[in-house]
Amino acid sequence: MFDSCVFIIFLLPPVSSQMRSKFTTPILFAYFLWVICRSSLAQTDEHSPSSSTGSCCGACYQGPAGAAGQPGIPGVPGQNGLPGSIGQKGEPGVGLLGPKGDTGNRGQKGNQGELGVQGLIGQPGKLGPTGPNGEKGEKGGKGEPGESTDVTPTPPSVVAFSAFLSGSFSGNSGDVIIFPTVTTNIGDAYDSGSGVFTCNVAGVYFFSVTLMSYNSGPTLFAILKKNGTRIFYVYDNHPNYHHQSSNSVVLMLAIGDTVLLENGRTNGRINGGIYSSYSGFLIQTL
């Protein structure tokens, strides 16, 4: 028995000396108790008549249970088990969108694609800048003498007039508005006594009328007429104020055509002086 105990002690796994001392002391103590008990039982069996070989003596009683021993040293960890089978695919997770990642590196240049279909011809471009002047050419030869003539060219005719009211005008509808104060009358086409312009050079003419209304009474209303036909109006419909109203026109006139300005309102009044004028001039002869 002692050999067995010693053998068990030495079979203990390698531990520290302090740990080995903790296990050795209880084992030796148990061994000594067993030796003493066995010796006592042997003496009792020799004196007892009822003892029989192979049976326990009636005087031998089992003692109380000893205190629990200290836990043993943990064993060596076992080997890893085999990998388990692949589980089923889980449901997609629900979460917030993560932040945008950094821009990746630029990829390599791809191969050139095939030539596409030719497009339509575009619109002509803008006119380029003027080029530099060329070299001066050689002087030409003397021309042939021209034919003589007795006709002297007539310079273009000039016709222009401008006149003003000398005082205020008052009249009824249909009365001619006369501008007696004449500042310009080239060609004498305007008659300051009648207020009528009579064309004496056929051509294209420009006419302009400017009138000022009174700040009381009827507002002004005048009509420019060519040969009795209405051409335009000069009209003011804002009473109790001094207003300067004007209008203009370009007319083609033949010799003998007349242009004048008529009053278009009953008891019409026009402020005179330099505030009201009547002008016209020839633009181009025909």
Side-chain angles (χ1 to χ4, degrees):
M1 180 64 181
F2 175 77
D3 295 338
S4 300
C5 292
V6 174
F7 179 71
I8 291 172
I9 293 172
F10 283 96
L11 284 179
L12 292 174
V15 293
S16 63
S17 58
Q18 184 178 2
M19 184 67 71
R20 184 183 295 274
S21 175
K22 288 182 178 182
F23 283 95
T24 303
T25 301
I27 293 174
L28 292 178
F29 180 74
Y31 170 72
F32 288 129
L33 289 178
W34 181 80
V35 171
I36 294 172
C37 181
R38 184 174 182 182
S39 176
S40 175
L41 290 175
Q43 293 177 4
T44 304
D45 290 342
E46 292 178 357
H47 297 283
S48 175
S50 60
S51 62
S52 61
T53 305
S55 62
C56 182
C57 175
C60 183
Y61 297 98
Q62 185 177 0
Q70 296 185 358
I73 299 174
V76 179
Q79 297 181 355
N80 295 334
L82 297 177
S85 59
I86 299 175
Q88 297 180 355
K89 184 178 180 180
E91 297 294 333
V94 178
L96 299 176
L97 184 65
K100 183 179 180 180
D102 297 334
T103 303
N105 297 330
R106 185 175 181 179
Q108 297 181 355
K109 183 179 179 181
N111 297 328
Q112 184 176 359
E114 297 181 358
L115 185 65
V117 179
Q118 183 176 0
L120 300 176
I121 299 176
Q123 298 293 332
K126 295 182 179 180
L127 184 64
T130 304
N133 296 330
E135 297 181 359
K136 186 176 181 181
E138 297 180 358
K139 184 177 180 180
K142 186 177 181 180
E144 298 292 334
E147 297 180 359
S148 62
T149 178
D150 296 332
V151 178
T152 303
T154 302
S157 299
V158 178
V159 179
F161 78 97
S162 186
F164 295 87
L165 289 177
S166 58
S168 60
F169 169 84
S170 297
N172 293 319
S173 178
D175 292 345
V176 177
I177 302 173
I178 301 173
F179 296 81
T181 304
V182 178
T183 58
T184 303
N185 194 12
I186 301 173
D188 294 327
Y190 175 71
D191 185 357
S192 59
S194 63
V196 179
F197 175 87
T198 303
C199 176
N200 53 16
V201 178
V204 179
Y205 287 80
F206 174 83
F207 292 91
S208 175
V209 177
T210 300
L211 304 175
M212 174 177 276
S213 62
Y214 273 95
N215 59 353
S216 62
T219 57
L220 67 86
F221 178 35
I223 307 168
L224 184 77
K225 290 185 176 182
K226 171 190 171 183
N227 299 331
T229 302
R230 295 180 181 181
I231 302 301
F232 66 64
Y233 297 130
V234 181
Y235 182 71
D236 177 26
N237 193 28
H238 194 187
N240 303 324
Y241 287 93
H242 283 301
H243 284 166
Q244 245 181 338
S245 303
S246 62
N247 208 339
S248 58
V249 67
V250 175
L251 297 175
M252 288 177 41
L253 300 180
I255 295 176
D257 288 343
T258 60
V259 179
L260 55 84
L261 192 68
E262 282 187 1
N263 180 36
R265 188 184 301 279
T266 302
N267 297 326
R269 299 177 63 195
I270 300 174
N271 206 339
I274 59 176
Y275 302 109
S276 301
S277 63
Y278 177 34
S279 302
F281 59 86
L282 174 65
I283 300 175
Q284 177 66 49
T285 60
L286 297 177

